[in-house]
Amino acid sequence: MAARGLVWTAVLVLCSPKLLGMVFMDNRLSIEMSGRVKRGWVWNQFFVVEEYTGTEPLYVGKIHSDSDEGEGSIKYTISGEGAGSIFIINELTGDIHATERLDREHKTFYTLRAQARDRHTDRLLEPESEFIIKVQDINDSEPRFLQAPYIGSVAELSPVGTSVMVVSAWDADDPAYGSSARVVYSVLDGEKHFTVDSKTGVIHTAVSDLDRESQDRYDLVIQATDMAGQLGGLSGSTTVTIVITDVNDNPPRFPQKLYQFSMAESAPPGSVIGRVKAEDADVGENTDMFYQIQQQEMGAIFKVTTDSVTQEAVLSIIKSLDFETQKEHSLVLEAQNRFVDPRFTDLGTFRDQAIVKVSVLDVDEPPKFHPLDGIIEVPEDAHIGSVIGAITAIDPDKANNPISYTLNRTSDDGIFEIDVESGEIRITKALDRETSGWHNLTVQAHETEDPLKVSFLSLRIRILDVNDNPPELATPHESSVCEDALPGQLIQTISVVDRDEPMGGHRFYFRLAPESTAEHHFTLLNVKDNTASVHTHQMPFDRREQDMFILPILVVDSGKPALSSTGTLTIRVCGCDSSGTVQSCNTTAYVMTGSLSPGALIAVLVCVLILVVLILLILALKRHHQGHLTSEEDEDMRDNVIKYNDEGGGEQDTEAYDMSALRSLYNFSDGSEAGGDSSLASQRHQLPQWFPGAELDFSLFGDYISRKVRLADQDSTVPPYDSFQTYAFEGSGSSAASLSSISSWSTGSEQDFSQLGSWGPRFRQLAALYSGHRGQEESPGS
């Protein structure tokens, strides 16, 4: 080559194994391929056939540099994808070999880079260049059905060529290289009934007589072959299941043409005679059917329905059978598909018929009523004992036994009775339509010789109305009129009630009673809707003269005979405001309103209310004060300390203190000592007197206090908290003798007060006072 650089050499390897052997035996079948030149390198591509299975490395190509003179001074190396593992290079010659099996379906090409270096200095002699090794495809992958297994369906009796489903196979080979990936389809098993399009894989029906009742599924084997089906191509297969769906192509069929049943004549209406079923070879909703009785006259006695679950015909009776009238009935029963496919009407009628015979069994029946039910109408003024109707019952059997009649007393109030033999019904009590307009009776008819054979009849008796109730005024019976009402003003609209209900409806007539004294003040007008209106007749009223009017009103109905009643309407004369609103309807209010205005009345009411509140407050305070005084008076005198908050007049003042209050403190009632009565009892105690020369003894005080403490501890009436008790007691033995005047005045013994003067100036005046007082008492006595 003219340009300096590497020369790329490619080896063309043929796909035939025989030629491959020839190539490697010669080992020099090569051609030089040149391309673009870049810095001494020739760019090119190497092609390697995949699936190489030889034992020696596969020669791929060769790289060469123009500077290589064959002296071995240049070293060739490669790098990139698979370099050193999949691809190796001869450092001296530049030959590239593949050491492993290559698979195009795994990787289609490899990108590598080539270098030419100085063997001694490892210096690049030429710029690095990139090249690609492509793996050439061979037909080594068979077609595969990735969506297997396949299940499809087609309706039975479908025409030829009906599309069923599509199958698809995939080939991993290169579709752009040869025919390795070109797949064709064929049917290996089941081609008698189905075909497959070789290119698209669409499965079609091959026949038009597919019958689900004969075979409901087909299993096909579909094969896919590559190389467009040529010899040597690879293939794969799959199983396709085709289900044949049902169509309504089979009519219902009775398994037998005659069915026989029997039914007792005593069976009640609605009793089931039996069940019949027609068979249908179809499935699903195509088997839905209904049954009907062909004879119209039999449809009045028998009834047929379809069981939606079992598709059976349920035969029952509409009314009771009678052995004496007809012993056997013959029915024509027809079964028909509910959903008929019009495409298959040419196959015949989708219906079938069978005969059903019903035999009636004779039984001993109870009596039968004629008629079976009814209504009897009776006027409410019918006389007691009159016959209102008759009931008839007969024995339907051949024996024709006599019949007896009774009334079920649970349904009767004793107003009616029935004749046992004739069945006539009579009235035993007076009738009243307004109380009860209907009566329901239960009549029993039984054979006289066999009371167990009994029948029941419900009889309704309607009570017809008779004009026996007079009309009455409806409420209200009181109204009012303003004093200043104008003549002709409407006061009240009057309506009436009448318990009767005449056939033609009510018609009432109103007028004022002859005894009315208010006809000069009021007028009464009839209205067409069975009401009347009361109007004023004269100039304004004066309630101070007459504040109330009694208006008697006569009401007459239109019955035969006509009945009437008199009602009273009370009309009060009231005071009204300018708008006609009633303010007051009594004379007292009239007088007050004439003298006091509404504001004055309100003021009076407020004053009265204030006075009442003040009186109640004073009473409450007085009661509280009395309760407080009572509680103070009930306290024990021992718990009280009498205080005098005034100042005495000095030694000469002998009248400043009330000594009786002090003396009352020492009046104790007789009581038990410790261990006696639990209540604390006061006792009268004589205060000890002082005598000259007596020895001082303080134990008396200790004994006294101890005794009081014991009494207090045993007293159950004392409060549960600590309390302070005061006792006025003066001990004996004082050298000054007793200073108290409590006992000195009550005793008759002589007392010497002269010694008080030796106690000091404060007692001298006291001694003089008592000495003087004593002298005054003695002089009157002398």
Side-chain angles (χ1 to χ4, degrees), residues 21 29 96 207 244 262 317 416 432 457 461 470 475 521 553 560 606 618 692 715:
L29 182 56
I96 301 174
V207 294
I244 307 302
S262 61
I317 57 175
F416 304 94
D432 186 10
L457 173 67
I461 300 178
T475 56
H521 300 277
I553 300 176
K560 294 181 180 180
V606 171
I618 293 172
D715 188 3

Side-chain angles (χ1 to χ4, degrees), residues 596-617:
L596 294 177
S597 64
L601 290 175
I602 294 175
V604 171
L605 292 177
V606 171
C607 293
V608 172
L609 181 61
I610 293 175
L611 290 176
V612 172
V613 172
L614 289 176
I615 293 172
L616 294 177
L617 182 60

